[in-house]
Amino acid sequence: MSSMNIILFGPPGSGKGTYSSKLSPILGIPHISTGDIFRAEIAKKSELGKKVEPLLKVGTLVDDKTVIEIIKSRLKEKDCKKGFIFDGFPRTLEQANEFQKIAKIDLVVNLVLEDDIILEKALARRICEKCGNIYNVADIKRKGIKMPPLLPKVVGKCDKCGGNLIQRKDDNEKIIMDRLNTYKKQTEPLLKYYKKEKLIKDVPVTMGPEGMVPLIHGVIKEHFKSK
Ligand code: AMP
């Protein structure tokens, strides 16, 4: 097997970040989240952070050129040799086209869930302000879906580093709906692009991470078995 270049694709709040961070050590490839990179730059108050902060606040996409530069420099790091899991990249056709000039994608795992569930999940997301680890306080049981909450051991504190759990500034109802619209207009059309190359595996999200992570891992193993 030469590489494992994977995109975890899906609407905002579908679980891309949680699943990617859990799959990364299992698969031995890094989890690359452009959203996490931007949030870290904002926390550092770097030039890039200052530039993108207002965009992230309202859920507007960062320009393609900036995103591609970030991805290019991240892929130069040694840990990407065997592959990577992209979470939140690419988000536009332009990004996908530009990326194709640098490397190829082997698999797109497309997380499928309905809008009302997306909204409920995103509103209930909590993240550690220090390390970005993700939690969720929603307990969703309907339409064949069973997603228990993902709670920390100590209320309001991160299990990994003890940092405070906060709500992302862009996880409020208005901005989630705007991000969902942006996803439908600018990102979802990418599915057609990857469908042509027969790279997509649809995976409905019906369980919490303890069920979804092994399920997605199985899909990935099956796909790369013959490579
Ligand atoms: P996420 O953590 O993936 O939900 O991303 C949070 C925010 O970061 C998005 O709402 C965008 O403002 C920005 N962002 C992250 N990834 C990208 C990307 N690939 N293209 C443009 N903007 C992005």
Side-chain angles (χ1 to χ4, degrees):
M1 185 169 56
S2 51
S3 66
M4 248 197 196
N5 297 353
I6 302 168
I7 300 176
L8 215 54
F9 198 89
S14 53
K16 300 187 296 290
T18 304
Y19 309 146
S20 305
S21 66
K22 291 181 190 293
L23 287 163
S24 160
I26 301 175
L27 298 167
I29 50 178
H31 163 207
I32 301 179
S33 153
T34 36
D36 282 351
I37 295 172
F38 291 137
R39 280 184 288 276
E41 293 295 325
I42 292 171
K44 275 197 278 181
K45 299 193 185 335
S46 68
E47 279 309 307
L48 174 63
K50 282 183 206 153
K51 183 173 109 177
V52 300
E53 188 170 17
L55 303 174
L56 266 79
K57 247 190 202 148
V58 295
T60 303
L61 294 187
V62 174
D63 67 282
D64 292 329
K65 195 165 165 270
T66 303
V67 176
I68 285 287
E69 268 168 27
I70 278 171
I71 285 290
K72 273 188 183 163
S73 80
R74 179 63 185 87
L75 288 186
K76 282 190 190 132
E77 288 176 40
K78 264 202 229 121
D79 62 343
C80 296
K81 279 219 170 89
K82 283 197 287 173
F84 46 77
I85 312 175
F86 279 154
D87 150 20
F89 175 88
R91 255 178 158 101
T92 63
L93 266 173
E94 176 69 16
Q95 291 176 18
N97 278 326
E98 281 302 309
F99 184 75
Q100 218 183 19
K101 296 178 191 164
I102 315 168
K104 69 173 177 28
I105 292 298
D106 299 304
L107 173 65
V108 178
V109 175
N110 178 36
L111 302 173
V112 181
L113 70 174
E114 285 180 25
D115 290 2
D116 58 328
I117 307 274
I118 291 172
L119 182 63
E120 191 170 341
K121 254 180 118 242
L123 284 174
R125 169 160 56 190
R126 302 290 181 269
I127 64 165
C128 171
E129 66 178 351
K130 262 200 205 153
C131 74
N133 203 33
I134 304 166
Y135 301 85
N136 203 294
V137 296
D139 189 4
I140 304 173
K141 284 183 207 140
R142 62 177 183 279
K143 297 185 197 164
I145 292 174
K146 204 166 173 240
M147 286 180 201
L150 188 62
L151 301 173
K153 293 193 181 84
V154 177
V155 178
K157 298 282 175 201
C158 178
D159 291 347
K160 281 196 181 160
C161 74
N164 290 324
L165 302 190
I166 55 163
Q167 228 179 333
R168 271 172 51 169
K169 289 199 182 78
D170 55 353
D171 277 343
N172 67 58
E173 189 160 346
K174 154 101 180 54
I175 294 177
I176 294 165
M177 292 318 288
D178 288 348
R179 281 160 55 211
L180 195 53
N181 285 332
T182 303
Y183 172 80
K184 288 187 180 175
K185 268 199 225 131
Q186 304 203 52
T187 308
E188 213 169 37
L190 282 180
L191 286 175
K192 274 196 209 124
Y193 178 96
Y194 290 114
K195 200 158 256 160
K196 267 191 257 151
E197 303 185 35
K198 298 196 171 60
L199 295 176
I200 302 179
K201 291 271 178 347
D202 286 335
V203 178
V205 177
T206 57
M207 305 173 269
E210 67 301 323
M212 289 307 298
V213 171
L215 181 72
I216 299 170
H217 185 209
V219 168
I220 294 173
K221 273 199 296 197
E222 184 61 29
H223 181 82
F224 286 99
K225 200 169 64 180
S226 52
K227 308 245 155 168

